[in-house]
Each structure stands twice: as C-alpha cells, then as structure tokens.
Amino acid sequence: MNMKLITSFDEYQKQYEFSVDNPETFWADVAENFQWRKKWSRVLEWDFHKPEVHWFIGGKLNITENCLDRHLPARANQTAIIWEPNNPADASQHITYQQLFNHVCRVANMLKAQGIKKGDRVCIYMPMIPEVAYAMLACARIGAVHSVVFAGFSAGSLIDRINDAGCKLVLTTDGAYRGDKIIDLKSIIDEALEKCPTVERVLVAKRTHSKVKMKPGRDLWWEEEIRNVSDVCVAEEMDAEDLLFILYTSGSTGKPKGMVHTCGGYMVYTSYTFKTAFQYQDGQVYWCTADVGWITGHSYIVYGPLSAGAITLMFEGVPSWPDMGRFWHVAEKHRVNIFYTAPTAIRSLEKAPLSFVRQYDLHSIKVLGTVGEPINEEAWHWYHDNIGRGECPVVDTWWQTETGGFMISPIAHVTKLKPAHASFPLPGVQPAIMDENGNELLANGVEGRLAIRFPWPAMARTIYGDHQRFKDTYFSTFPGKYFTGDGCKRDEEGFYRITGRVDDIIIVSGHNMGTAEIESAIDEHSAVCESAVVAYPHDIKGQGVYAYVICYDKPHEEEKLRKEIRELVAKIIGPIAKPDKIQFVSGLPKTRSGKIMRRILRKVAEGDTSNLGDVTTLLDPAVVDEIKSGAL
Ligand code: WTA
C-alpha cells in the first residue's frame, strides 16, 4: 500500500489542515489505496443531530479481501500472524498470509455449512489463539456480524450480550489458559446458553483438552466440522455501510451498549491510523498486547495491521507468568519492533525488579505505544527509559470503542513528545473542548470536556437496536457534536491531555465499567438493600472499585459478606469488576430529590475528607459523618 506517510511535523500540519478544509478529498485519497469491488459514489453524508453518518456511499468491498487476498501476490509467504502461546515451553507459530487466507476460508465455509448467512450475528468467546482471528475474519468474509465477548466475562455478561445481538451461533473453546490457570470457557457458555434462546449451534475448538459436556444437536467440535470444508471461500460483497461487527462497551446505565461498526470506513481508518501513528514499515514485527475481546484487539491486532499487510503478534498469556519478564522475553524472542500496551501493564511491570527487563535484548524495539487510560508521568518515563532506552517515541493513543480507531495521538518520530499527553489530533479528527455551558473553548491553555465536531470514517454508527440511546449518550450533551465522556486539557502549545472520564464510567486496569452495572450486581445479594460504586486512585490498576453498601440488617460478619459480594460480582459480570473495597454504611448521601451525591463518595474513597463541599442540600447530612469515619 502506498499511503503517503507523514515524515515531518510540517507535513503533519499541512496534511492536518488539508483534512479539515477538504475532508472528503482527504479520505477519498486514503480510500483509493484499498481494493473495492465498486467505487463509492459519494464520500460522506452526515448529520450529527439525527445522528446519521455514512462514509463511501455506494462503495462495495469485503474487508477480508483487503486483509488477505490483496496481499497474496506479494506476500503469500510473509508472516501475517506470529502466535506466542501461554506457556513459553510450547512452540510459537508463524502463520503466513497464504495460510491465514486458507484458514479463514475454511472457518468461513464451516460457518456457512451451519447455515450462517450475511447479516447473522455470531458470538465469539475465545482465548487469544490464532483461531479467534480466523473466526473474526471468517465472519467478515461471509458478511456475518461478529460480536466478540472478552473471555474474562462471566455467564451473566454473556447472556446480556448474546441476547441483545440475537446471536445464532457461538464459537468457543473447551477451555483457556491464563498463566498457571485453566478457565472452563465451555461450562461458562453452557451456563449462559440456558438463557439464550436464539443460539442454535456452538462450535467448540480444542485448546486445553479439558473434559467438557457437548450438548447433542447443539454443540459440534470445530476440528471435526472443519475437515469437511474447502479452503477457498469467495468473499461476500458488502456495502461500505453494512455491519462488520458489534462490540459491547459499558454504559452509565446498567445495560452494555452494542457499538455498531461498518465495513468501509472502519477498514480505511484503522489501516491508515495504524500506519500513520506507528509509522509502520514493511516487514516490521508489531505487537499489541491487548485481548481481541476489546476494541484495541479488533482494530490494532486484527483489522488495522492485516489490512496494512503487517506482521502482527498475538500473545495468549499474561505479563506476570511464568515471571514478570514475560513481555520482554517475547519481545526479544520475536524481535518486536513496535510494542503497544496499556498503562496498567506498565505500572505493574514497573514494580518488578529491573533485572526482569535487563536480561533481555530489547534493541529491536523502535516505537512504543500506550492505550486505555491516561498514563501517569512516572510510568511514561519508566517505559520510555527502560523499555525504549530513552530513544523510542511513546505513542500515547487516545481513542474509544466508539471511535473505532486512534483519534488523538503522537505520530512516531514526527511529533515532539510530552509525557502523558496524547498530543495532537490525527488528520481528519476535529476535537473541540467544551465548557460546562456548552461553549467551545477556542484558545489554548484551556480545560473542559472533549467533543468531536466532524465525523471520521471509523466512528460507530449506532448502538445495536437502540438508536435513541446512541443519540442521547453521545449527541445530546453538546448538540451537533459527538461527546466523548472524557475530560481534556489543551496546553499553551496546543498539546492535548486527556484527564479521564467525566461520567459514571470507571477504568479498572484499562477495562471500562459502568458503576451502575457493578451496583446492580452487588444489589443481587440477598443481604444488600442498596449500593453505590465509585472509583479511587489505585497504584497499578489506575482506578480501583470502591463500593458503599447498605444492608437490610447490620452485617455480623463483615469479611464473610465482603467475600460473598466480591464473588457474586465476579459471577455476574466477571472477575475484573470485583470491588477492591467494600464499606458498609447505613445510608448514602442523597439529595432531597433522591440523587446520590457521588462527589462526596468519591472524595471519601480518595481519602480526602477535608473539604467535601456543600452538603446542605442533602436529605440527611449526618450520613456523611458516618461515611467519613468508616472510610477504608
Ligand atoms: C480512556 C479503548 C487517556 C478514555 C481504546 C476513553 C484514554 C476510554 C486513552 C475508552 C489515552 C483510552 N489516554 N485516556 N491514551 N485511551 N482512554 O472504549 O477515558 O475501552 O474514553 O477504548 O479509555 O475506552 P475503550
């Protein structure tokens, strides 16, 4: 692909200005680099009030022809995916573009044999093995819509997601390795499917060879079914605006939001931003440590890198097993050139002795990246100095499940670096910092809420089955603009710095969670009458979960009840949502209209009780003293 790379800051500024003045020409030029079955007739139609956004109208394509077929003439024997297994003693795999093509076609044919057609929804609940990438691409190949659910989510979360999307088929494995643990994925699926009437078939790949129950008439072994199919599958022709996938993200209310991404714009944007921000060069080994269950895995392990013909590394394991040097071991072993991870991982690895880093030769690394939450300056410096030898740029990419791809990010080797700053908007991205009254702050040296005033190709088009919620959540706070839910500063030099969420979403170890979702899980406990969840600063996770819980009767054995509540939350949502701290209280600070004053709860959770602000509007100001004195 000969997309014009930006090689200097001047060039960036020129291209940026051009993209703002001529967005349609700018994106049409980028889109020309891909293989379309039929060219678009119009580049963009949009209205942020409705909201409605369409890119590359009338264009026909299949994203997998761009990720696979298109590369075969030149790269059939080049590695597409390097797979590193959980256990370092097991062999890694190098899957070429030709092999990837054949694997994807086989899985696509296997899905077709089960009656899956264009537009059907397929749930993917799998660990980080090559088959998960085959599965996603196979869905895309035949026009089925995938909904990947992170394999750390519990049955309860699966039920919500499978039913909301109306999935017909589930792809899973017998089990998953995670460090020294084995997770029984299949039994979690079995439990969930008791409450998922739309699922007709489950295809189970073998990974751990654990004993599992196979339900006759519903469950089939992947290895058996795949034997009967051909390794060539003609790609379905998709409209640029046809659905590619649904990916759920937490919302401020309990129900997760199924963000809908479409084929054309998503492909163009993830490929372009991957190449631009990381300055990816042909033949480089790129490693993103995310899980494919999150948007980072979708856009920057699978679709972005593969559409750019890159070598993308997939890692099944965890950073801390068999020891805290695993990431660096893998980076040395596969001579990784671009390394992209989350601040929470950096902070946990920073706590380990430096010898875990120093025993490996990390000179192959040229570019570092981070994503998922604001990176603190200390972690930034540790990363830059110890992993990047003080030489590699840290590309701090700000973006969201909703945005589909990077929005504000340095461009490697081009943008001057400022620790903890996502720096500047990429070409085509038009941020706006808004004050509380909805006015845009135009100057530099300002702080407010981050909105985006113009569409970009990879933006989510709707929330699956609930367009009104899409409008209410993202387009009503600042009419005519997309509201990100993040706070943001722009300094005197124009650098952007994301300050964190300004809504009821908290980010624990890089995973977004709605406080309402955790509260409703806690409230399921028979002893619990009501709860309120807030975040507090946590050394490694970034934010920890602090729960205030009211019980019907004063608990006798607080520790026991805490344990039960934690386990319940793990069961309903997943272990990532377990509260770190649980404080039992007899009341919550509520206003006369019944609204919980979370500001107070947050302050107490942060350990700052000196100035709680005005509490006179509270129904019962006395609860504040109780909460303060019982703070954990
Ligand atoms: C936060 C992950 C600061 C932010 C791609 C955003 C960040 C939310 C950064 C989206 C960053 C992500 N600096 N904050 N570089 N990247 N965030 O949907 O609050 O899992 O709104 O997408 O993560 O999280 P999501």
Side-chain angles (χ1 to χ4, degrees), residues 249 294-296 370-375 396-402 422 484-486 498 500-501 507 510 512:
T249 186
W294 311 112
I295 191 70
T296 307
T370 82
V371 60
E373 59 183 303
I375 181 165
D396 178 354
T397 61
W398 173 81
W399 61 295
Q400 309 178 297
T401 304
E402 295 84 341
T484 64
D486 281 326
I498 309 301
R501 301 290 310 186
I507 305 186
N512 287 13

Side-chain angles (χ1 to χ4, degrees), residues 241-262:
E241 285 295 321
D242 277 339
L243 267 65
L244 174 62
F245 64 84
I246 303 170
L247 181 62
Y248 287 85
T249 186
S250 296
S252 298
T253 64
K255 204 170 171 268
K257 300 172 291 201
M259 304 314 307
V260 168
H261 285 283
T262 56

Side-chain angles (χ1 to χ4, degrees), residues 132-145:
V132 73
Y134 307 161
M136 291 164 73
L137 292 163
C139 288
R141 187 117 187 131
I142 63 173
V145 178

Side-chain angles (χ1 to χ4, degrees), residues 226-416:
I226 207 141
R227 261 190 233 132
N228 310 323
V229 297
S230 137
D231 62 2
V232 176
C233 171
V234 177
E236 185 76 29
E237 182 166 292
M238 305 294 284
D239 189 89
E241 285 295 321
D242 277 339
L243 267 65
L244 174 62
F245 64 84
I246 303 170
L247 181 62
Y248 287 85
T249 186
S250 296
S252 298
T253 64
K255 204 170 171 268
K257 300 172 291 201
M259 304 314 307
V260 168
H261 285 283
T262 56
C263 298
Y266 178 82
M267 169 183 77
V268 169
Y269 195 81
T270 52
S271 200
Y272 171 77
T273 49
F274 168 74
K275 290 202 72 158
T276 303
F278 293 130
Q279 294 278 292
Y280 181 84
Q281 311 282 330
D282 256 7
Q284 285 187 320
V285 176
Y286 159 81
W287 180 17
C288 164
T289 70
D291 190 283
V292 286
W294 311 112
I295 191 70
T296 307
H298 282 60
S299 302
Y300 298 108
I301 294 178
V302 179
Y303 291 111
L306 293 176
S307 58
I311 304 172
T312 175
L313 192 152
M314 275 180 80
F315 174 47
E316 186 188 27
V318 294
S320 53
W321 188 81
D323 63 38
M324 298 298 274
R326 186 69 195 280
F327 270 4
W328 320 127
H329 181 199
V330 175
E332 180 192 77
K333 178 174 171 191
H334 296 293
R335 307 212 187 304
V336 168
N337 303 118
I338 302 172
F339 178 75
Y340 184 38
T341 195
T344 182
I346 299 169
R347 285 190 301 264
S348 73
L349 296 170
E350 190 188 333
K351 297 268 182 288
L354 260 184
S355 54
F356 282 113
V357 178
R358 299 230 166 105
Q359 58 184 292
Y360 300 105
D361 179 359
L362 300 179
H363 277 83
S364 60
I365 295 180
K366 302 290 179 241
V367 174
L368 297 171
T370 82
V371 60
E373 59 183 303
I375 181 165
N376 46 311
E377 292 188 30
E378 196 205 341
W380 192 98
H381 284 292
W382 184 87
Y383 194 38
H384 184 249
D385 296 349
N386 294 296
I387 309 305
R389 309 176 302 280
E391 294 168 3
C392 302
V394 176
V395 178
D396 178 354
T397 61
W398 173 81
W399 61 295
Q400 309 178 297
T401 304
E402 295 84 341
T403 69
F406 304 156
M407 299 291 281
I408 302 182
S409 168
I411 296 173
H413 308 299
V414 165
T415 311
K416 185 176 102 181

Side-chain angles (χ1 to χ4, degrees), residues 117-136:
K117 298 181 305 296
K118 178 173 177 176
D120 288 341
R121 275 84 56 215
V122 171
C123 171
I124 300 178
Y125 186 65
M126 293 174 71
M128 286 288 286
I129 54 178
E131 285 75 7
V132 73
Y134 307 161
M136 291 164 73

